[in-house]
Amino acid sequence: MAIDDDPPSTDPLEASTQVTASVARRIAPGREHDFVSWTDAGIALARTFPGFLGGGWLRNSRIDNEYYVVYRFADEQTMDDWVSSPVRKAWLSRGEGVAVDYATHRLSGIEGWFEPQQHLTQAVRVHGAPPPRWKQAITIWLGFFPLSVLINVLVIGHLDALPVVVTTLIATLINTPLMVYLVLPWLTARLKRWLH
């Protein structure tokens, strides 16, 4: 196992934008040393890209020729810049015959809670079981209720003449991004012990 990683951000807003990707690869017989050298070179190249937060590789403990390559970027855009770069494409071409990709996964924010565990590779599997649904529901409610009251008092209360469909649309357009980008990251950081 070789992992070179910066410590995760303690800022819930910053942590919610970080993206982790894992690529599951099967190694050609007798090419393990070549794979490790090639993968380490790829991670060294990724390190030169803005937003790179760390990466490494893990060997499957049950299947000898199966490895997971894990890397993390500050956000989707910086990861996409790496994934679509000519540098990465040239590096991938040098690995032909060494390994074959068979699964790629990306996770960011709290998506891992809702992703069925069997759909994830070991490299990005959420550590431990996801919180029970009732804890997820309480966490979402704890953010949604006060935010909804606030939006109703400050915005919707001044739109009496509009149809209910329009006021609901306005409320959800305000509420949803605030929940996803501000309220839930803030809440989950504070409820971390209870959720796990």
Side-chain angles (χ1 to χ4, degrees):
M1 177 174 79
I3 298 288
D4 174 22
D5 210 8
D6 293 336
S9 171
T10 55
D11 178 349
L13 293 179
E14 187 179 323
S16 71
T17 64
Q18 293 175 2
V19 181
T20 300
S22 99
V23 182
R25 292 191 168 118
R26 289 202 175 96
I27 313 309
R31 303 293 304 266
E32 183 174 299
H33 179 74
D34 295 334
F35 170 78
V36 169
S37 298
W38 173 69
T39 300
D40 287 346
I43 291 167
L45 288 171
R47 193 175 292 118
T48 67
F49 277 68
F52 181 75
L53 299 176
W57 52 265
L58 305 160
R59 183 177 180 178
N60 188 323
S61 60
R62 284 178 246 134
I63 304 171
D64 287 343
N65 71 334
E66 187 172 275
Y67 283 74
Y68 303 109
V69 179
V70 183
Y71 49 96
R72 191 161 46 99
F73 279 83
D75 52 40
E76 290 279 353
Q77 184 58 58
T78 55
M79 181 172 283
D80 288 341
D81 290 346
W82 159 247
V83 168
S84 63
S85 70
V87 171
R88 181 176 176 271
K89 288 177 183 163
W91 167 74
L92 284 173
S93 70
R94 288 195 303 273
E96 287 180 16
V98 173
V100 176
D101 295 6
Y102 71 91
T104 301
H105 297 286
R106 280 193 192 190
L107 287 180
S108 60
I110 60 168
E111 291 170 7
W113 288 5
F114 304 102
E115 183 70 18
Q117 296 291 290
Q118 67 270 21
H119 295 170
L120 303 177
T121 65
Q122 293 288 355
V124 295
R125 189 166 295 213
V126 178
H127 183 67
R133 290 285 178 180
W134 66 271
K135 285 189 177 184
Q136 294 175 31
I138 289 171
T139 303
I140 292 167
W141 181 85
L142 284 172
F144 187 77
F145 176 73
L147 186 60
S148 295
V149 170
L150 192 65
I151 290 168
N152 277 299
V153 169
L154 296 178
V155 179
I156 304 305
H158 302 286
L159 304 176
D160 292 338
L162 295 176
V164 71
V165 172
V166 175
T167 57
T168 303
L169 174 66
I170 292 168
T172 56
L173 285 173
I174 297 169
N175 207 338
T176 303
L178 289 175
M179 282 290 291
V180 170
Y181 293 106
L182 295 175
V183 178
L184 279 178
W186 185 84
L187 264 177
T188 55
R190 274 137 196 87
L191 298 175
K192 185 176 179 180
R193 286 186 180 181
W194 179 69
L195 287 167
H196 294 290

